[in-house]
Amino acid sequence: MTIVEKRAQDVYQAVHSSEMEGQYVDEEFMVDAKEYIFGNIDIDEWGQRVRDRVRRKLAHA
């Protein structure tokens, strides 16, 4: 299995887990996920983007 395949599998599992818990994944998340899958950003950058997005959404709620 290549690193791209492994990352894609990990993202799929994360999305599936979220959906099973009644949550949803937005388009911005998937854009960042694709950046991670193809190695354009690392896991730390992806995590930071997710945290920043959640903070912005909570600040406007």
Side-chain angles (χ1 to χ4, degrees):
M1 177 180 292
T2 68
I3 188 72
V4 170
E5 291 169 330
K6 174 68 170 117
R7 288 178 176 176
Q9 182 180 50
D10 291 346
V11 167
Y12 171 80
Q13 290 174 349
V15 170
H16 180 70
S17 177
S18 294
E19 290 172 344
M20 293 298 293
E21 293 178 11
Q23 301 173 16
Y24 73 97
V25 175
D26 63 17
E27 186 175 333
E28 288 177 287
F29 177 93
M30 289 309 299
V31 167
D32 290 342
K34 288 176 186 174
E35 291 287 307
Y36 167 70
I37 290 169
F38 291 108
N40 297 321
I41 61 173
D42 64 17
I43 192 71
D44 294 326
E45 174 66 19
W46 186 27
Q48 188 62 52
R49 289 181 183 191
V50 170
R51 287 187 294 278
D52 290 346
R53 189 165 38 257
V54 169
R55 286 185 193 115
R56 281 194 311 272
K57 288 181 180 180
L58 290 175
H60 292 102

